[in-house]
Amino acid sequence: MRRLVALILLSMLLPLQAGADEANVQGFDSLQEEQRYRDLTSELRCPKCQNQNIADSNAPIAKDMRDRVYRMMQDGASNEDIVGALVDRFGEFVRYKPEVDRRTILLWATPAIAVGVGLLAVAGIVIRSRRRNGQKTVLTAEEQARADRLLSDKDRE
Amino acid sequence: MKRVFLFAPLVLVVVLGIVLFAGIGKDPTRLESALIGKQVPAFTLEDLDKPGKQLDAGVFRGQVSLLNVWGTWCPACRDEHDALLWLAQEQGVRIIGLNYKDNREEALVWLDRLGDPYELTIYDPRGTLGFDLGVYGAPETYVIDANGVVRYRHVGVVNEKVWKEDLEPLVNQYREDAS
């Protein structure tokens, strides 16, 4: 009996925990909207706590930014509008994924350039070693005979 | 030709070293404002001293100003207050205050007690203009030219050194442009 009471009491605590989540507090019309809110706030960076996204950060400015995201969503803004509105105010910095433009092209292209240079280096090494091997396989008749002799000697042993 | 390639790692290390060395001493928490070269965002907010009197972005027209974002809850704002008084009184700089996420009574007591360096103070209790300006940590100080265009943002305490090195050259430059 006592166990049952404890279980009931515990189960009453469960919804309290779920309710502590801010997204639930704010309320969304659908699960998709809530997911969209989570995605947006997790890919926007807090300008105050620079290594946190605005979903994680407790900074007052992160809260203001979350509120703005939420309000713009309620007003029917698209993801680009929302991110754009925050970038206009806080700068490109708030994007965890910066747009490709003149300033960021090197950032985006560096992995491709590194892979390209690596491939070129590997190709160079392979081609050169092939060429060297090709030269080596050409033996004079005398060398060939000597090689055959040595190899057959070895077989006999 | 092959010998040249032997130096490739050395060149790589030197280039990487230069790039990394350039980053030393840079403060990553100082971000350039996204509003540089743009008009101060439109706003309609009350004057801190005169409840009911509405201010808008027109207050920045006509002369070069500093816009200083402050609040009584912000200890660093207390640190820079004397420097602001010095700027306003000794250097003749026009400073507009933006009282950010604060309450009027406390702000007025603060100005009464410590002195008021501001020609006028915009009262922004909910931080709406602050948000539009991209304020992420008070104190912040903006240089705004005579046409109301944001030219520079300094995040953190303003002191004589910051004034001499960063702000004064810009203020002088835009004053000349205006005249």
Side-chain angles (χ1 to χ4, degrees):
Chain A
M1 185 59 200
R2 208 185 270 175
R3 259 195 204 170
L4 193 68
V5 171
L7 202 68
I8 290 168
L9 282 176
L10 270 177
S11 64
M12 284 167 78
L13 285 172
L14 279 176
L16 277 182
Q17 254 182 333
D21 192 54
E22 185 172 356
N24 287 342
V25 170
Q26 285 180 322
F28 289 93
D29 298 339
S30 66
L31 273 176
Q32 283 89 337
E33 280 292 278
E34 186 172 336
Q35 189 56 46
R36 196 177 141 217
Y37 174 80
R38 284 178 201 274
D39 290 345
L40 275 170
T41 53
S42 66
E43 68 186 45
L44 286 164
R45 185 176 180 186
C46 170
K48 188 71 191 170
C49 318
Q50 301 199 334
N51 288 326
Q52 283 186 305
N53 55 34
I54 61 170
D56 283 343
S57 174
N58 281 327
I61 188 65
K63 185 174 183 315
D64 288 354
M65 288 166 79
R66 284 196 299 268
D67 289 348
R68 178 60 62 104
V69 170
Y70 179 76
R71 248 183 304 139
M72 286 186 77
M73 278 178 67
Q74 299 305 94
D75 293 345
S78 70
N79 287 4
E80 291 82 57
D81 290 346
I82 294 172
V83 173
L86 291 172
V87 167
D88 284 348
R89 290 172 173 82
F90 296 93
E92 205 57 41
F93 180 87
V94 298
R95 266 189 232 263
Y96 266 120
K97 289 182 202 148
E99 283 210 320
V100 183
D101 63 18
R102 205 153 38 84
R103 280 193 315 165
T104 57
I105 189 70
L106 203 61
L107 185 71
W108 283 102
T110 299
I113 292 171
V115 168
V117 168
L119 281 178
L120 279 180
V122 169
I125 289 165
V126 168
I127 289 170
R128 199 178 299 172
S129 72
R130 276 224 185 120
R131 207 179 288 154
R132 213 175 290 154
N133 287 342
Q135 284 166 353
K136 269 186 192 153
T137 52
V138 180
L139 297 175
T140 60
E142 197 182 324
E143 280 169 336
Q144 188 67 49
R146 191 166 160 243
D148 288 344
R149 206 167 55 238
L150 284 169
L151 286 168
S152 55
D153 277 355
K154 211 169 192 181
D155 284 346
R156 234 173 276 151
E157 275 170 17
Chain B
M1 188 59 197
K2 255 188 199 165
R3 289 242 172 108
V4 176
F5 279 115
L6 289 178
F7 286 102
L10 181 72
V11 171
L12 206 67
V13 165
V14 169
V15 168
L16 201 64
I18 290 170
V19 169
L20 293 178
F21 188 79
I24 293 178
K26 269 193 187 167
D27 184 353
T29 61
R30 299 231 161 130
L31 305 176
E32 194 183 66
S33 168
L35 273 85
I36 304 291
K38 293 186 193 158
Q39 288 283 333
V40 173
F43 65 92
T44 313
L45 289 165
E46 278 193 354
D47 190 313
L48 179 74
D49 305 310
K50 306 176 189 83
K53 187 188 170 196
Q54 300 290 329
L55 300 171
D56 59 34
V59 297
F60 296 108
R61 300 228 162 228
Q63 50 179 312
V64 180
S65 331
L66 295 184
L67 171 63
N68 178 252
V69 182
W70 66 284
T72 55
W73 46 268
C74 150
C77 299
R78 173 70 192 84
D79 289 347
E80 70 172 5
H81 200 81
D82 293 337
L84 295 179
L85 285 170
W86 170 75
L87 280 181
Q89 288 160 7
E90 315 276 325
Q91 305 290 308
V93 185
R94 178 178 193 245
I95 309 178
I96 307 273
L98 175 62
N99 182 249
Y100 177 61
K101 290 191 177 179
D102 204 355
N103 84 51
R104 181 171 259 144
E105 286 74 41
E106 286 177 33
L108 288 173
V109 168
W110 160 293
L111 290 180
D112 200 37
R113 202 160 45 90
L114 300 171
D116 186 351
Y118 307 110
E119 184 166 306
L120 53 92
T121 302
I122 304 159
Y123 180 52
D124 187 12
R126 298 175 62 192
T128 50
L129 176 57
F131 191 83
D132 287 343
L133 278 168
V135 171
Y136 66 94
E140 290 186 11
T141 303
Y142 295 75
V143 176
I144 295 177
D145 75 10
N147 299 317
V149 175
V150 179
R151 293 300 180 177
Y152 183 76
R153 163 168 77 175
H154 173 78
V155 176
V157 171
V158 170
N159 49 33
E160 201 178 329
K161 183 165 174 282
V162 170
W163 166 251
K164 285 261 184 283
E165 287 175 8
D166 300 334
L167 303 179
E168 189 177 24
L170 288 171
V171 168
N172 287 340
Q173 181 195 329
Y174 289 112
R175 271 180 185 162
E176 273 170 33
D177 287 356
S179 57

